[in-house]
Amino acid sequence: MRYAARVCQVTKEYVLDGGTVRALRGVDLDVPEGDYLAVMGASGSGKSTLLNLLGCLDRPTSGTIWLGDEDVTKADDDRLSEIRASHIGFVFQSYNLIPQLTVLENIEVPLIYQGKCGPKYRKRCRELAEMVGLGQRLGHRPTQLSGGQQQRVAIARSLVNDPLFILADEPTGNLDSATSEEILSLLESLNRDGKTIIMVTHEPDVGARTRRIVRLMDGKVVSDRRLDNKEPCEANAAI
């Protein structure tokens, strides 16, 4: 079995106001390629810390994190930047689009950071916009889009470099129920096509839409269960 990510005995400590906060306490987590899992738990359980570590936005205090075949805990800052740009797709609750840019330009942003430009890359961005249902909105800016449309742009942007996995942080948190359903259906479709998705959510009904729920409490994994025998999808070619 191939793994998109593996977390081995990871701890994370912060020093705050002269004291030490142990955010993660020896976490183990394997994420096979094609998996779709929800990381759940109460506020302060360690969800966001784990997401930041998997996204190479922070470093663990101890332990090892593998993304694909690479031990990222040994990578320097420049290499971590490269990994974030080329191996990880980010989808945030607040969309994090650049307001001055159009739909097409926002999807292109990860490519621009890597110095990739030209007709081939522009064509891929157009195809992704079509895939998420925004082919007729390429020239629109974020303020001209609904919340659901903005999140679709963010999902297309997360796919532009064909990442190892997508990290989705409360992707439906700012959306109404009907729009949330649209976004969850889109994520499910991507997973059926073989894309690995790791999602943080506090909503049980959202977590129930995934293949697996991992629960954290006080910085530890307290449960890890598959839902109705939903095994990971077979990873397919680039989306």
Side-chain angles (χ1 to χ4, degrees), residues 62-167:
S62 64
T64 307
I65 299 174
W66 291 79
L67 301 186
D69 297 325
E70 183 170 358
D71 177 359
V72 298
T73 53
K74 295 179 179 179
D76 61 22
D77 288 345
D78 288 342
R79 178 56 185 154
L80 289 180
S81 294
E82 292 174 0
I83 291 168
R84 286 194 298 271
S86 61
H87 292 356
I88 305 168
F90 294 93
V91 178
F92 301 97
Q93 178 177 349
S94 55
Y95 324 130
N96 285 17
L97 303 180
I98 299 174
Q100 296 86 357
L101 301 184
T102 66
V103 165
L104 187 61
E105 290 166 343
N106 267 286
I107 296 172
E108 286 179 314
V109 164
L111 296 175
I112 294 170
Y113 284 147
Q114 294 187 83
K116 296 179 179 179
C117 59
K120 177 179 71 172
Y121 298 110
R122 177 60 64 98
K123 180 174 182 287
R124 173 162 175 76
C125 294
R126 289 180 181 276
E127 290 171 346
L128 287 170
E130 292 279 356
M131 187 193 74
V132 300
L134 293 174
Q136 305 302 313
R137 298 286 189 273
L138 296 179
H140 287 58
R141 287 178 169 75
T143 55
Q144 298 172 295
L145 303 175
S146 67
Q149 289 172 329
Q150 290 185 65
Q151 195 62 293
R152 287 174 180 271
V153 177
I155 291 171
R157 180 185 59 192
S158 78
L159 293 167
V160 75
N161 280 325
D162 187 32
L164 268 174
F165 54 83
I166 294 173
L167 285 178

Side-chain angles (χ1 to χ4, degrees), residues 190-204:
L190 292 172
N191 178 245
R192 285 194 298 271
D193 287 338
K195 185 56 66 181
T196 308
I197 302 173
I198 304 170
M199 177 171 62
V200 165
T201 181
H202 68 277
E203 301 178 66

